[in-house]
Amino acid sequence: MTAVQSVTLSNSVEMPLEGFGVFQVPDLAECQQATEWALEAGYRLIDTAAVYGNEEAVGAALKAVGLPRDEIFVTTKLWVQDMGQESGKRAFATSLAKLGLDHLDLYLIHQPFNDYYGAWRALEELYDQGAVRAIGVSNFYPDRLVDLALNSRITPMVNQVECHPFHQQTQAMATMAELGVHTQAWGPFAEGQNGIFTNPVLTDIGAAHGKSAAQVALRWNTQRGVSVLPKSVHRERIEANLDVWDFELNDQEMTSIAGLDGQLRIADHHAVEMVRRINGIRIHD
Ligand SMILES: NC(=O)c1ccc[n+]([C@@H]2O[C@H](COP(=O)([O-])OP(=O)(O)OC[C@H]3O[C@@H](n4cnc5c(N)ncnc54)[C@H](OP(=O)(O)O)[C@@H]3O)[C@@H](O)[C@H]2O)c1
């Protein structure tokens, strides 16, 4: 299989352009198994979060597969309940212990809610201490991102946002590019919604390359310089989702996929109900 390309973040850290996501895999044995399959298949970036409740399982998989520490890139995220400078540092220590690591590769503020400015100060401190190699945010729309950048010593290196053929983030990406913030896609398959795996535009393009609609969706994002985090708990899909580095979409194919934008948005962080619901999710006493 052709090697996964990487991106150089604004602080010169190299990050794989494709990683493995473990959202909605709360069963620890299942999460460990899927993560082991991913590492065996060749994924070198694993994306988890405190709120996913499976950091221990990711840690167990990393230990079981036993790759050298400098060959893997581990991301986790600070949950809303723990925003704030002191609580953020405590939550980081808890996550690191659950993962069984002595440093993290990327730590993200999961949502732009609660005291995320205090939390960002905590991340800046952790970064200065070398406890984490890169720091960033998630679900920050351009207005929040610009404000954070204007009021912080360190600009986030990454912003992980919903990004798939039906919600392409083109305008937001222009702001991120201006700030030197790398765009990372969550939900690169739109979480399987809107018929993505049988979408005629994606399947027709895939047929021309001997690839599936899923593989075309991943390739399209990485060709725009966006890193992707596909999730699956099925071994054959985990392997197929990594097999996207030996073909290239031409300009016409990229333009056809651009035409799918605007069909579906999974999350709206400006919606009052969303703010209430997310703030209500507690992960400890
Ligand atoms: N920062 C955030 O707020 C945020 C939010 C959401 C997600 N994320 C991150 O992004 C990662 C990916 O997003 P996601 O998990 O929400 O959704 P996703 O990767 O877009 O889609 C996952 C869905 O697609 C299915 N699937 C995967 N590969 C397939 C294939 N080749 N053919 C057919 N079906 C396939 C999976 O089913 P099976 O598992 O049954 O194969 C699952 O139902 C997450 O795991 C997480 O790490 C972050």
Side-chain angles (χ1 to χ4, degrees), residues 82-129:
D82 292 321
M83 293 298 164
Q85 193 158 359
E86 291 312 311
S87 49
K89 284 187 280 186
R90 278 197 301 276
F92 176 82
T94 302
S95 285
L96 211 55
K98 285 185 175 171
L99 287 162
L101 300 175
D102 65 358
H103 72 276
L104 195 68
D105 297 285
L106 177 63
Y107 199 39
L108 302 178
I109 289 190
H110 204 147
Q111 312 275 355
F113 303 142
N114 198 355
D115 179 15
Y116 60 84
Y117 277 89
W120 189 249
R121 305 293 167 246
L123 267 60
E124 288 177 327
E125 266 188 62
L126 293 163
Y127 178 72
D128 286 344
Q129 292 162 6

Coordinates of all heavy atoms in Angstrom, one line a residue, residues 82-129:
D82 N -14.6 20.4 31.6 CA -13.2 20.6 32.2 C -12.5 21.9 31.6 O -11.3 22.1 31.8 CB -12.3 19.4 31.9 CG -12.8 18.2 32.7 OD1 -13.2 18.4 33.9 OD2 -12.8 17.1 32.2
M83 N -13.3 22.7 30.9 CA -12.7 24.0 30.4 C -12.2 24.8 31.6 O -12.9 24.8 32.6 CB -13.7 24.7 29.5 CG -14.1 24.1 28.2 SD -12.7 23.8 27.1 CE -13.4 22.6 26.0
G84 N -11.2 25.6 31.4 CA -10.6 26.4 32.5 C -9.1 26.1 32.6 O -8.7 25.0 32.2
Q85 N -8.4 27.0 33.2 CA -6.9 26.8 33.2 C -6.5 25.7 34.1 O -5.7 24.8 33.7 CB -6.2 28.1 33.6 CG -4.7 28.1 33.3 CD -4.1 29.4 33.2 OE1 -4.8 30.5 33.3 NE2 -2.8 29.5 32.9
E86 N -6.9 25.6 35.3 CA -6.5 24.6 36.2 C -7.2 23.2 35.9 O -6.6 22.2 35.8 CB -6.8 25.0 37.7 CG -5.9 26.1 38.2 CD -4.4 25.9 37.8 OE1 -3.9 24.8 38.1 OE2 -3.8 26.8 37.3
S87 N -8.5 23.3 35.7 CA -9.3 22.1 35.3 C -8.8 21.5 34.0 O -8.7 20.3 33.9 CB -10.8 22.3 35.3 OG -11.0 23.4 34.5
G88 N -8.4 22.3 33.1 CA -7.8 21.8 31.8 C -6.6 21.0 32.0 O -6.4 20.0 31.4
K89 N -5.7 21.5 32.9 CA -4.4 20.8 33.1 C -4.7 19.5 33.8 O -4.1 18.5 33.5 CB -3.5 21.7 34.0 CG -2.8 22.8 33.1 CD -1.7 23.5 33.8 CE -2.3 24.6 34.8 NZ -1.3 25.4 35.4
R90 N -5.6 19.5 34.8 CA -6.0 18.2 35.5 C -6.6 17.2 34.5 O -6.2 16.0 34.5 CB -7.0 18.5 36.6 CG -6.4 19.0 37.9 CD -7.4 18.9 39.0 NE -8.7 19.6 38.8 CZ -8.9 20.9 39.1 NH1 -7.9 21.6 39.6 NH2 -10.1 21.4 38.9
A91 N -7.4 17.7 33.6 CA -8.0 16.8 32.6 C -7.0 16.2 31.6 O -7.0 15.0 31.3 CB -9.1 17.5 31.8
F92 N -6.0 17.0 31.3 CA -4.9 16.6 30.4 C -4.2 15.4 31.1 O -3.9 14.4 30.5 CB -4.0 17.7 30.1 CG -2.8 17.3 29.3 CD1 -2.9 17.2 27.9 CD2 -1.6 17.0 29.9 CE1 -1.8 16.8 27.1 CE2 -0.5 16.6 29.1 CZ -0.6 16.5 27.8
A93 N -3.9 15.6 32.4 CA -3.1 14.6 33.1 C -3.9 13.3 33.2 O -3.4 12.2 33.0 CB -2.8 15.0 34.5
T94 N -5.2 13.4 33.4 CA -6.1 12.2 33.4 C -6.1 11.5 32.0 O -6.0 10.3 32.0 CB -7.6 12.6 33.8 OG1 -7.5 13.3 35.0 CG2 -8.5 11.4 33.8
S95 N -6.2 12.3 31.0 CA -6.2 11.7 29.6 C -4.9 11.0 29.3 O -4.9 9.8 28.8 CB -6.5 12.7 28.6 OG -7.8 13.1 28.6
L96 N -3.8 11.6 29.7 CA -2.5 11.0 29.4 C -2.3 9.7 30.2 O -1.9 8.7 29.6 CB -1.4 12.0 29.9 CG -0.1 12.1 29.2 CD1 -0.3 12.3 27.7 CD2 0.8 13.2 29.8
A97 N -2.8 9.7 31.5 CA -2.7 8.5 32.3 C -3.6 7.4 31.6 O -3.1 6.2 31.5 CB -3.2 8.7 33.7
K98 N -4.8 7.7 31.2 CA -5.6 6.7 30.6 C -5.0 6.1 29.3 O -5.1 4.9 29.0 CB -7.0 7.3 30.2 CG -7.9 7.5 31.5 CD -9.2 7.9 31.1 CE -10.1 8.0 32.4 NZ -11.4 8.6 32.2
L99 N -4.3 7.0 28.5 CA -3.7 6.6 27.3 C -2.4 5.8 27.6 O -1.8 5.2 26.6 CB -3.4 7.8 26.4 CG -4.6 8.4 25.7 CD1 -4.4 9.8 25.3 CD2 -5.1 7.6 24.6
G100 N -1.9 5.9 28.8 CA -0.6 5.3 29.1 C 0.6 5.9 28.4 O 1.6 5.3 28.1
L101 N 0.5 7.2 28.2 CA 1.6 8.0 27.5 C 2.2 9.0 28.4 O 1.7 9.4 29.4 CB 1.0 8.7 26.3 CG 0.3 7.8 25.2 CD1 -0.3 8.7 24.1 CD2 1.3 6.9 24.6
D102 N 3.5 9.4 28.0 CA 4.1 10.4 28.8 C 4.1 11.8 28.1 O 4.4 12.8 28.7 CB 5.6 10.0 29.2 CG 6.5 9.9 27.9 OD1 5.9 10.1 26.8 OD2 7.7 9.6 28.1
H103 N 3.7 11.8 26.9 CA 3.4 13.0 26.2 C 2.3 12.7 25.1 O 2.2 11.6 24.7 CB 4.6 13.7 25.6 CG 5.2 13.0 24.4 ND1 6.0 11.9 24.5 CD2 5.0 13.2 23.1 CE1 6.3 11.4 23.3 NE2 5.7 12.2 22.4
L104 N 1.7 13.8 24.7 CA 0.7 13.7 23.7 C 1.2 14.4 22.4 O 2.0 15.2 22.5 CB -0.6 14.4 24.2 CG -1.9 14.1 23.5 CD1 -2.3 12.6 23.7 CD2 -3.0 15.0 24.0
D105 N 0.6 14.0 21.3 CA 1.0 14.6 20.0 C 0.1 15.8 19.7 O 0.6 16.9 19.2 CB 1.0 13.6 18.9 CG 2.0 12.5 19.1 OD1 3.2 12.8 19.0 OD2 1.6 11.4 19.6
L106 N -1.2 15.7 19.9 CA -2.1 16.8 19.6 C -3.2 16.8 20.7 O -3.8 15.8 20.9 CB -2.7 16.7 18.2 CG -3.7 17.7 17.8 CD1 -3.1 19.1 17.7 CD2 -4.3 17.3 16.4
Y107 N -3.4 18.0 21.3 CA -4.5 18.2 22.3 C -5.4 19.3 21.8 O -4.9 20.3 21.4 CB -3.9 18.5 23.7 CG -4.8 18.3 24.8 CD1 -5.6 17.2 24.9 CD2 -4.9 19.2 25.9 CE1 -6.5 17.0 26.0 CE2 -5.7 19.0 27.0 CZ -6.5 17.9 27.0 OH -7.3 17.7 28.1
L108 N -6.7 18.9 21.7 CA -7.6 19.9 21.1 C -8.7 20.3 22.2 O -9.1 19.5 23.0 CB -8.4 19.2 20.0 CG -7.6 18.7 18.8 CD1 -8.5 18.0 17.8 CD2 -6.8 19.8 18.1
I109 N -9.1 21.6 22.1 CA -10.3 22.0 22.8 C -11.5 21.5 22.0 O -11.6 21.9 20.8 CB -10.3 23.5 22.9 CG1 -9.2 24.0 23.9 CG2 -11.7 24.1 23.4 CD1 -9.2 25.4 24.3
H110 N -12.3 20.6 22.6 CA -13.3 19.9 21.8 C -14.4 20.7 21.3 O -14.8 20.5 20.2 CB -13.9 18.8 22.7 CG -14.4 17.6 21.9 ND1 -14.4 16.3 22.4 CD2 -15.0 17.6 20.7 CE1 -14.9 15.5 21.5 NE2 -15.4 16.3 20.5
Q111 N -14.8 21.7 22.1 CA -16.0 22.6 21.6 C -15.7 24.0 22.1 O -15.2 24.2 23.2 CB -17.3 22.1 22.3 CG -17.5 20.6 22.2 CD -18.2 20.1 20.9 OE1 -18.5 21.0 20.1 NE2 -18.3 18.8 20.7
P112 N -16.3 25.0 21.4 CA -16.1 26.4 21.7 C -17.1 26.8 22.8 O -17.8 27.8 22.6 CB -16.3 27.1 20.4 CG -17.3 26.3 19.7 CD -17.0 24.9 20.1
F113 N -17.2 26.1 23.9 CA -18.1 26.4 24.9 C -17.4 26.4 26.3 O -16.4 25.8 26.5 CB -19.2 25.3 25.0 CG -20.0 25.2 23.7 CD1 -20.4 23.9 23.2 CD2 -20.3 26.2 22.9 CE1 -21.0 23.7 22.0 CE2 -21.0 26.1 21.7 CZ -21.4 24.8 21.2
N114 N -18.1 27.1 27.3 CA -17.6 27.2 28.6 C -16.3 28.0 28.6 O -16.0 28.8 27.6 CB -17.4 25.8 29.3 CG -17.3 25.9 30.8 OD1 -17.2 26.9 31.4 ND2 -17.2 24.7 31.4
D115 N -15.4 27.9 29.6 CA -14.2 28.8 29.7 C -13.1 28.3 28.8 O -12.1 27.8 29.2 CB -13.8 28.9 31.1 CG -12.5 29.8 31.2 OD1 -12.2 30.5 30.3 OD2 -11.9 29.7 32.3
Y116 N -13.3 28.4 27.5 CA -12.3 27.9 26.6 C -11.0 28.8 26.5 O -10.0 28.4 26.0 CB -12.8 27.5 25.2 CG -13.5 28.6 24.4 CD1 -12.7 29.4 23.6 CD2 -14.8 28.7 24.4 CE1 -13.3 30.4 22.9 CE2 -15.5 29.7 23.7 CZ -14.7 30.6 22.9 OH -15.3 31.5 22.1
Y117 N -11.2 30.1 26.9 CA -10.0 30.9 26.9 C -9.0 30.5 28.0 O -7.8 30.4 27.9 CB -10.4 32.4 27.1 CG -10.7 33.0 25.8 CD1 -12.0 32.9 25.3 CD2 -9.7 33.5 24.9 CE1 -12.3 33.4 24.0 CE2 -10.1 34.0 23.7 CZ -11.4 34.0 23.2 OH -11.7 34.4 22.0
G118 N -9.6 30.2 29.2 CA -8.8 29.6 30.3 C -8.2 28.3 29.9 O -7.0 28.1 30.1
A119 N -9.0 27.5 29.2 CA -8.4 26.2 28.7 C -7.3 26.4 27.8 O -6.3 25.7 27.8 CB -9.6 25.4 28.1
W120 N -7.4 27.4 26.9 CA -6.3 27.6 25.9 C -5.0 28.0 26.6 O -3.9 27.6 26.2 CB -6.8 28.7 24.9 CG -5.8 28.8 23.8 CD1 -4.9 29.8 23.5 CD2 -5.5 27.7 22.8 NE1 -4.1 29.5 22.4 CE2 -4.4 28.2 22.0 CE3 -6.0 26.4 22.6 CZ2 -3.9 27.4 20.9 CZ3 -5.5 25.7 21.6 CH2 -4.4 26.2 20.8
R121 N -5.2 28.8 27.7 CA -3.9 29.1 28.5 C -3.3 27.8 29.0 O -2.1 27.7 29.1 CB -4.3 30.1 29.7 CG -5.0 31.3 29.3 CD -4.2 32.3 28.5 NE -5.0 33.4 27.9 CZ -5.3 33.6 26.6 NH1 -4.7 32.8 25.7 NH2 -6.1 34.5 26.2
A122 N -4.1 26.9 29.5 CA -3.6 25.6 30.0 C -2.9 24.9 28.8 O -1.8 24.4 29.0 CB -4.8 24.7 30.5
L123 N -3.5 24.9 27.7 CA -2.8 24.2 26.5 C -1.5 24.9 26.1 O -0.5 24.2 25.8 CB -3.8 24.1 25.3 CG -4.7 22.9 25.2 CD1 -5.6 22.7 26.4 CD2 -5.5 22.8 23.9
E124 N -1.5 26.2 26.2 CA -0.3 26.9 25.9 C 0.8 26.5 26.9 O 2.0 26.3 26.5 CB -0.5 28.4 26.0 CG -1.3 29.0 24.8 CD -1.6 30.5 24.9 OE1 -1.7 31.0 26.0 OE2 -1.6 31.1 23.8
E125 N 0.5 26.4 28.2 CA 1.4 26.0 29.2 C 1.9 24.6 28.9 O 3.1 24.3 29.0 CB 0.7 26.0 30.6 CG 0.9 27.2 31.4 CD 0.3 27.0 32.8 OE1 0.8 26.1 33.6 OE2 -0.7 27.7 33.2
L126 N 1.0 23.7 28.7 CA 1.4 22.3 28.4 C 2.3 22.2 27.2 O 3.3 21.4 27.2 CB 0.1 21.4 28.2 CG -0.8 21.2 29.4 CD1 -2.1 20.8 29.1 CD2 -0.1 20.3 30.4
Y127 N 2.0 23.0 26.2 CA 2.9 23.0 25.0 C 4.3 23.6 25.3 O 5.3 23.0 24.9 CB 2.2 23.9 23.9 CG 3.0 24.1 22.7 CD1 3.1 23.0 21.8 CD2 3.6 25.2 22.4 CE1 3.9 23.1 20.6 CE2 4.4 25.4 21.2 CZ 4.5 24.3 20.3 OH 5.2 24.4 19.2
D128 N 4.3 24.6 26.1 CA 5.6 25.2 26.5 C 6.4 24.2 27.3 O 7.7 24.1 27.1 CB 5.4 26.4 27.4 CG 4.9 27.6 26.6 OD1 5.0 27.6 25.4 OD2 4.5 28.6 27.2
Q129 N 5.8 23.4 28.1 CA 6.5 22.3 28.9 C 6.9 21.1 28.1 O 7.6 20.2 28.6 CB 5.5 21.9 30.0 CG 5.2 22.9 31.1 CD 4.0 22.5 31.9 OE1 3.4 21.4 31.8 NE2 3.6 23.4 32.8

